[in-house]
Amino acid sequence: MHEYLKQLNPAQKDAVVNYKGPSLVIAGAGSGKTRVLTYRIAHLLANGVPPYQILALTFTNKAAREMKDRIGAIVGSQLASQLWMGTFHSIFAKILRYESSSLGYDSNYTIYDTADSKNLIKSIIKEKNLDEKAYKPGMILGRISRAKNNLITPNTYQNNSKYYSTDQAHRIPFTGDIYATYMQRCKIAGAMDFDDLLMNTNILLRDNQKILEKYQQKFNYILVDEYQDTNFAQYLIIKKLAERHHNICVVGDDAQSIYGFRGAKIENILNFQKDYPNLNIYKLEHNYRSTKNIVNAAGSVIAHNQKQLPKKIYTENDEGEKIKIIRAITEVEEGHIIANDIQEKRLSNQLNFDDFAILYRTNAQSRILEEALRKRNIPYQIYGGLSFYQRREIKDLVAYLRLTVNQNDDEALKRIINYPARGIGATTMTKLENAAVQSNVPIWNVLNVPTQFNVNINSGAIKKLQGFASLINQFKQVSENEDAYDTANHIASTTGILKDLYNDQSPEGRSRYENIQELLNGIKDFVSSAFEEGNETKLQNYIENVSLLTDMDKKEDGNTDKVTLMTIHMAKGLEFPHLYLAGLEEGLFPSNMSIETPEDIEEERRLFYVALTRAEKTASIFWSQTRYKWGSAESKVPSRFIKELDEQYIDSTEANFMDEPLIEQGQSVFKRQSTKPSFSSRSSTQTIRSRQQRQPLKKAQPTVNPDFTPDPPEKIEKGHMVMHQRFGRGQITHIEGEGTNKKATVQFASGRKTLLLRFAKLKIIN
């Protein structure tokens, strides 16, 4: 028996070793889903399946990296590196680059993010003289996105009376026209948005039988993580690719399907057996994460859903504390009670701030909670806030990088053609855009020879445009000869972006300047890591990497000891020792916007299930008697999900408290109980402040020693403790290859890395 199989329980082992034919792995919360998926792939490799025949699809880059690292630790990083493993979007982007000519695209196509798409739609709305108040870019993009995820092309959309009637009812009858123009403009710019990566892959496989057969033959084994979160477009691609070999394994939990608003279809997992009648079903029902009370309480609520796959989640962990239900008089009191309890629990039990998380249904709830935490000097982070890559100055420089790689990228061009200011005004840009639209060409074509497109601009404007075009062409030449960092550094300096931000000595200006520095640091890190791992380091490779980043994949700063605040949707896949659920009131959770149909209610109930199962040791649920909305206090009643909790898993004296008169302000809902809950109003602000003053938190900075002398690669052996100039100290866990291809897998504090020893520059420290 392989050693790694000994680390699995019987149910997990069955799901790992039986890899022939279609399989459905129903993985309950905290049941070791990632371990099963990882070990199943490792088992395939250990049994001689070539890595390039395995396709593994995930929903985040982080999940893909972690699984690949774990697989590499079992079977060797060289095998693991050859897997087709990544997010749906990154894998399909790779296929589309290989097959781009079949769709009429260049292989260097740009990937538009949401901001790019909104800007383009905003321009189209303006061109068509439509009411910008009615045709809001975000709303229109949402409708286009839903259409694409259901594989509805502009032509189908425009000729469907149902869509037209719906749009007319919403007073946006020209949505189909905007959709068609948007797609046409993206094609001209050599760009795809994230939804296009799915739709175009479907079109590619639908219209090109040889290409379909090529990838059907290539991928003997297909594995899909979080299958309950797939949409129709993803489902269809997976189904097509698996038609030849039927060796498809999907892993997921229908009880955690919470992304219906993004187009996810819970039916994909519920009806999987209809597509593959002879499939094997494996149920992972042993929860390793939570206490018995938490597991059983969550199960008592989700049992109210009609649409679900049968399973019984259990745990062998301690019984633990019962679920606390706390009623606050106002949302302000709710925030104070939570903050006080965090303070008390942390100090009395010697806990860290990062042992605590506060979850809520909507982002708007965070304000009160933040204020309560700040008043007690409790450090916190909002998970999923404004992304680093969405900041203005970052998008400006990245737009230069994108335009350097793909001159047909209209959105990048429009963003930076006059930044820093070079005298190219809005009037000139409007003329260029109009000429490009009329001639069905990218703006870049018109910009280079405006007179050939009958653009009526003076010689001074033409000279400025020529200067800009010359600058971009120079950057392109640099990018062909230099790596991504040297190219980006050259662009930041030559354009004057660095100088422009450096000269702004306001706090905001300094912050923006530091952000540009951090972006360049990130590009340098990308180049160094790619070089040491034997991958390409050109600007094009960095642009694809940064385009596919998600909020969940962003690095945090050096201080990780913070209370986590986030929406429940953001919390999926995470776990916390001590959990607080805020705002469990009818109309808020479940949301008023999600109670129109039984299906909506069931998704909201699944969302509550996801929230509760994030907790490891304790869970506290809050609702407020009054909550402000548009400046007025509204009376609230407890969420139906609180009432659905089996009373044996909450304080028994509180089983029927919701049917009784409300108690006086300032009291807990724990009436008639002999033992008070741990929530306290005592403040320890001074204690926390003094500790923070003694031990200031600073961002860790890598140190580079000019006298650092690495050891020869041939001296590096498994087990050695080594020093790396960027990653710090680590231990060699695996060595493979010989000569110039010799690689070392090193476990650093920041994570596991597989490095080519001839480039890695490691120094033995023991």
Side-chain angles (χ1 to χ4, degrees):
M1 179 188 291
H2 297 288
E3 281 297 316
Y4 55 84
L5 294 179
K6 296 178 181 178
Q7 302 175 39
L8 303 172
N9 67 33
Q12 292 172 334
K13 182 181 173 184
D14 282 347
V16 165
V17 300
N18 297 304
Y19 56 80
K20 293 285 188 179
S23 299
L24 169 61
V25 180
I26 304 170
S31 64
K33 168 183 69 70
T34 303
R35 170 173 286 196
V36 167
L37 197 56
T38 299
Y39 281 34
R40 186 175 172 113
I41 296 169
H43 194 65
L44 284 168
L45 295 171
N47 281 274
V49 177
Y52 51 82
Q53 291 183 357
I54 299 172
L55 172 65
L57 297 167
T58 67
F59 273 85
T60 67
N61 293 302
K62 181 181 178 183
R65 284 196 301 267
E66 288 179 352
M67 283 199 289
K68 190 173 285 189
D69 284 344
R70 291 190 197 182
I71 293 165
I74 298 172
V75 299
S77 57
Q78 188 170 9
L79 271 179
S81 66
Q82 298 176 57
L83 290 165
W84 277 64
M85 175 180 281
T87 63
F88 285 88
H89 292 97
S90 64
I91 292 294
F92 298 159
K94 186 176 179 181
I95 290 174
L96 289 171
R97 290 200 189 279
Y98 286 145
E99 314 296 345
S100 56
S101 59
S102 296
L103 291 171
Y105 281 86
D106 187 84
S107 62
N108 285 338
Y109 66 82
T110 295
I111 299 174
Y112 277 179
D113 65 11
T114 302
D116 296 319
S117 296
K118 284 183 179 178
N119 288 338
L120 177 53
I121 289 171
K122 187 176 182 179
S123 298
I124 294 169
I125 291 168
K126 188 175 181 180
E127 290 167 12
K128 293 181 179 292
N129 294 316
L130 298 172
D131 183 357
E132 295 181 25
K133 291 182 180 179
Y135 291 87
K136 296 177 181 178
M139 179 184 65
I140 299 299
L141 179 60
R143 297 179 89 81
I144 291 173
S145 177
R146 284 191 291 275
K148 288 182 180 181
N149 286 332
N150 286 293
L151 304 182
I152 298 165
T153 63
N155 187 53
T156 302
Y157 193 103
Q158 288 176 301
N159 290 290
N160 187 298
S161 58
K162 178 183 175 183
Y163 298 131
Y164 180 76
S165 298
T166 302
D167 289 342
Q168 198 169 39
H170 286 86
R171 299 181 181 179
I172 46 172
F174 295 103
T175 300
D177 293 339
I178 297 171
Y179 182 13
T181 305
Y182 171 74
M183 290 296 286
Q184 181 186 49
R185 206 69 58 79
C186 284
K187 188 69 177 289
I188 293 169
M192 298 186 200
D193 62 24
F194 269 42
D195 296 315
D196 287 328
L197 297 177
L198 301 180
M199 190 164 78
N200 284 338
T201 301
N202 268 293
I203 292 171
L204 179 74
L205 300 180
R206 182 196 69 191
D207 296 346
N208 298 272
Q209 186 64 28
K210 287 185 178 179
I211 292 176
L212 172 61
E213 291 173 356
K214 169 184 170 182
Y215 288 100
Q216 285 177 334
Q217 180 63 32
K218 178 179 180 61
F219 300 129
N220 282 20
Y221 295 88
I222 299 173
L223 302 98
V224 185
D225 191 17
E226 304 286 9
Y227 190 66
Q228 77 280 350
D229 293 335
T230 53
N231 60 31
F232 178 66
Q234 291 163 330
Y235 159 79
L236 212 56
I237 294 169
I238 296 163
K239 190 170 185 295
K240 284 179 181 177
L241 292 176
E243 280 176 354
R244 187 180 188 91
H245 299 290
H246 279 209
N247 291 321
I248 178 171
C249 174
V250 302
V251 183
D253 182 8
D254 57 294
Q256 297 186 65
S257 178
I258 59 173
Y259 296 119
F261 67 98
R262 292 184 189 169
K265 301 286 187 184
I266 191 174
E267 292 78 13
N268 291 350
I269 192 167
L270 294 177
N271 300 331
F272 189 70
Q273 192 166 4
K274 291 183 179 179
D275 289 331
Y276 304 95
N278 62 332
L279 90 167
N280 295 310
I281 298 177
Y282 305 96
K283 295 182 181 181
L284 307 183
E285 298 172 308
H286 187 169
N287 180 298
Y288 291 92
R289 175 188 300 153
S290 308
T291 64
K292 284 187 173 70
N293 274 316
I294 292 170
V295 169
N296 293 334
S300 70
V301 174
I302 200 64
H304 287 78
N305 272 9
Q306 298 300 309
K307 288 186 176 181
Q308 58 178 310
L309 298 169
K311 55 187 172 297
K312 176 62 178 176
I313 307 301
Y314 69 95
T315 184
E316 295 176 357
N317 292 339
D318 294 338
E319 186 172 321
E321 294 183 21
K322 292 187 176 183
I323 310 298
K324 289 184 172 63
I325 311 294
I326 310 298
R327 183 196 61 185
I329 304 303
T330 67
E331 71 265 47
V332 174
E333 184 182 77
E334 176 186 64
H336 286 312
I337 296 173
I338 292 174
N340 283 338
D341 193 61
I342 290 173
Q343 197 82 289
E344 181 176 315
K345 270 197 175 83
R346 176 178 173 271
L347 294 175
S348 61
N349 297 294
Q350 290 79 52
L351 300 173
N352 296 321
F353 285 118
D354 62 6
D355 289 325
F356 301 91
I358 308 172
L359 305 185
Y360 37 82
R361 181 64 178 83
T362 68
N363 279 308
Q365 291 172 254
S366 75
R367 181 180 67 85
I368 295 294
L369 298 167
E370 288 183 71
E371 287 180 2
L373 295 173
R374 281 199 298 266
K375 285 178 181 178
R376 287 155 183 79
N377 284 343
I378 296 176
Y380 66 89
Q381 64 174 349
I382 296 184
Y383 209 99
L386 182 62
S387 163
F388 176 82
Y389 292 93
Q390 295 302 318
R391 295 172 187 170
R392 188 183 73 192
E393 63 278 6
I394 300 303
K395 289 187 72 69
D396 287 339
L397 181 51
V398 170
Y400 269 106
L401 306 185
R402 281 170 39 182
L403 193 62
T404 298
V405 170
N406 175 15
Q407 287 75 55
N408 294 339
D409 187 341
D410 283 354
E411 293 308 305
L413 185 149
K414 289 190 290 185
R415 184 178 187 94
I416 46 84
I417 193 168
N418 198 42
Y419 176 73
R422 51 177 60 91
I424 301 174
T427 302
T428 299
M429 274 308 301
T430 299
K431 291 178 179 178
L432 292 176
E433 283 187 71
N434 290 340
V437 170
Q438 291 172 7
S439 300
N440 254 3
V441 297
I443 296 174
W444 178 260
N445 291 20
V446 181
L447 181 148
N448 274 278
V449 281
T451 54
Q452 290 185 16
F453 290 85
N454 299 317
V455 180
N456 183 24
I457 53 177
N458 60 41
S459 58
I462 291 175
K463 187 175 181 180
K464 291 170 185 173
L465 293 175
Q466 290 173 338
F468 177 74
S470 176
L471 191 68
I472 300 302
N473 284 324
Q474 182 216 343
F475 294 160
K476 182 180 180 182
Q477 188 173 4
V478 171
S479 72
E480 292 169 353
N481 299 311
E482 304 292 342
D483 63 35
Y485 173 75
D486 289 336
T487 303
N489 201 28
H490 175 77
I491 291 172
S493 301
T494 307
T495 56
I497 288 178
L498 283 176
K499 183 180 179 182
D500 181 62
L501 295 177
Y502 182 79
N503 290 337
D504 182 357
Q505 291 302 303
S506 68
E508 294 78 13
R510 287 196 297 271
S511 176
R512 288 195 291 268
Y513 181 74
E514 290 168 359
N515 287 338
I516 290 292
Q517 284 184 315
E518 186 58 31
L519 177 65
L520 293 172
N521 288 341
I523 299 174
K524 180 67 174 178
D525 187 64
F526 167 82
V527 169
S528 298
S529 295
F531 181 72
E532 291 173 0
E533 294 168 8
N535 297 324
E536 288 291 330
T537 63
K538 294 294 186 183
L539 184 62
Q540 175 187 336
N541 306 104
Y542 171 75
I543 288 297
E544 179 162 337
N545 177 271
V546 78
S547 294
L548 293 168
L549 282 175
T550 66
D551 284 342
M552 294 292 286
D553 300 318
K554 304 295 188 293
K555 294 181 180 179
E556 302 296 337
D557 63 28
N559 174 24
T560 58
D561 189 23
K562 299 177 181 179
V563 174
T564 297
L565 278 70
M566 64 171 75
T567 63
I568 301 167
H569 282 101
M570 291 296 297
K572 188 164 176 289
L574 303 177
E575 55 189 36
F576 307 94
H578 303 283
L579 187 76
Y580 303 88
L581 302 182
L584 261 291
E585 301 135 27
E586 284 294 305
L588 183 55
F589 192 14
S591 167
N592 270 335
M593 296 185 292
S594 303
I595 56 175
E596 293 182 1
T597 67
E599 289 76 18
D600 290 339
I601 288 294
E602 292 212 347
E603 175 146 331
E604 287 287 290
R605 188 175 287 111
R606 292 193 296 269
L607 189 60
F608 178 78
Y609 176 82
V610 166
L612 195 52
T613 55
R614 299 311 93 197
E616 297 174 356
K617 297 179 180 178
T618 68
S620 304
I621 299 173
F622 289 77
W623 68 280
S624 177
Q625 181 181 335
T626 59
R627 192 171 295 271
Y628 273 81
K629 186 175 183 181
W630 302 110
S632 299
E634 290 187 350
S635 296
K636 295 292 182 181
V637 297
S639 167
R640 69 191 71 188
F641 303 143
I642 292 179
K643 297 181 181 182
E644 290 171 357
L645 285 164
D646 191 319
E647 63 183 56
Q648 65 180 304
Y649 307 121
I650 61 176
D651 282 57
S652 59
T653 55
E654 283 306 299
N656 300 310
F657 80 92
M658 286 167 286
D659 299 323
E660 299 179 7
L662 293 173
I663 55 178
E664 295 300 316
Q665 181 171 346
Q667 294 185 23
S668 161
V669 297
F670 290 86
K671 307 180 300 298
R672 304 183 308 278
Q673 60 189 9
S674 58
T675 304
K676 294 280 185 180
S678 63
F679 299 92
S680 166
S681 61
R682 287 185 284 114
S683 173
S684 302
T685 302
Q686 188 59 45
T687 304
I688 298 298
R689 183 182 294 118
S690 63
R691 289 184 182 182
Q692 289 178 333
Q693 288 170 347
R694 290 197 302 270
Q695 295 179 320
L697 297 168
K698 295 181 180 179
K699 184 175 180 180
Q701 296 290 345
T703 57
V704 179
N705 182 358
D707 299 322
F708 182 90
T709 305
D711 286 303
E714 57 268 24
K715 286 190 175 182
I716 307 293
E717 295 178 1
K718 182 180 178 180
H720 274 158
M721 291 296 296
V722 294
M723 177 66 74
H724 186 280
Q725 291 193 89
R726 284 184 301 120
F727 305 128
R729 292 198 303 176
Q731 184 172 26
I732 306 291
T733 60
H734 186 70
I735 297 284
E736 62 184 50
E738 294 180 358
T740 57
N741 293 322
K742 190 175 182 182
K743 290 183 178 180
T745 300
V746 191
Q747 183 65 54
F748 297 102
S750 58
R752 188 181 289 115
K753 295 279 185 182
T754 300
L755 308 173
L756 278 168
L757 284 176
R758 60 183 169 133
F759 298 137
K761 298 181 179 179
L762 299 174
K763 182 178 180 64
I764 300 170
I765 56 177
N766 77 339

